[in-house]
Amino acid sequence: MSRDRITTDPARIADILRRGGVAAIPTETVYGLAGSIESREAIARIFEIKERPLFDPLIVHVTGAEQARALVMEWPETAERLAQTFWPGPLTLVLPKRTVLDPLITANLETVGVRAPDHPLTLKAIELVGAPVAAPSANRFGRTSPTTAEHVLSEFPEHDFPILDGGACAVGLESTVVAIDSERALRILRPGAVTAEALRRALGDDVGFSTAPSRESPGHSPKHYQPAIPLVLVASVRTIDDDLAREAAAELSLARADFVELELNPDPRLAARSLYADLRRLAGSGAALILVRMPADASDPGWEAIRDRLTRAASLVL
Ligand code: TXA
Ligand code: MG
């Protein structure tokens, strides 16, 4: 595994992206695997490296609203307000796209997801490329997203694309994805750090929200974010002990039932920040199973995204 793939120089990364290469980039949510939207070769390579199905569209990363406007048919007042309030930050806006945008990026959909990531090195790199970059999370399809440069390296040891090291991701979970269907109707396609409550505060009470059926967020499938060993989500009041682990192992047809427990930080922001790093560490612990209790606290909307990811990462719910 070659450590000289890791750099802290956004100019080196921009150079590669400008020439149609791919590179991993840090964001405040998770690391992305980026290619310039102007290089079809880079975009195709991203799907190949991730082993990602072509029906799953990529998010386009921009420096701000000005670049975003050039990608969409219309930039409604609602988009402007949300960009002003939350960008750069963990919010992806889905809007009808302009036809010039490569259909490979958007998986032939009529819409495009755009966001300005809150990371100085990546904003600098995009600025130097002079064009937005498309970037899914830098993990193999269906697996846990990386939140450090080391995670990306260990996810893709056999590849040689460079990795821009921006430290550990501050948010730790993928962005909130929201479709703007009209000025007053939004659909949350994937929950994240920007909650429905926060969106409502920014837009006012007369905005309608719905949660999308999963087919409308093509890549956000029920089985996603999975660690390398089975995760068992304990959604009941049962005690986490050997008996429970044996029952889980039997259900999953595992020969062994030795387990490690993932204990979530009681503060959802801190729990989110370390969730994926913890899952990777525990998946490498040698145990047969990871057991985690579903967060029960419904009062803090910060738990919603964590519940969503745990549910999708789980091989079994008990
Ligand atoms: O925080 C993030 O969003 C990270 C960082 C790298 O920015 N990116 C990320 O990308 O999580 P990815 O590809 O792993 O997840 C993108 C999600 C997928 O569920 C995809 O289906 C959805 O966004 N998406 C992208 N464009 C869309 C569109 N036009 N319509 C509906 N869903 C879209
Ligand atoms: Mg992903």
Side-chain angles (χ1 to χ4, degrees), residues 42-63:
I43 303 303
R45 187 93 190 94
I46 291 170
F47 280 94
E48 219 175 271
I49 291 172
K50 273 191 64 111
E51 297 157 42
R52 180 179 176 115
L54 293 172
F55 62 73
D56 191 1
L58 308 183
I59 292 173
V60 176
H61 295 69
V62 294
T63 50

Side-chain angles (χ1 to χ4, degrees), residues 177 179 186-190 210-217 312:
V177 179
L186 303 184
R187 260 173 318 132
I188 297 183
L189 304 181
R190 179 175 72 183
S210 56
T211 333
S214 62
R215 82 181 153 75
E216 295 187 46
S217 189
R312 291 170 202 269

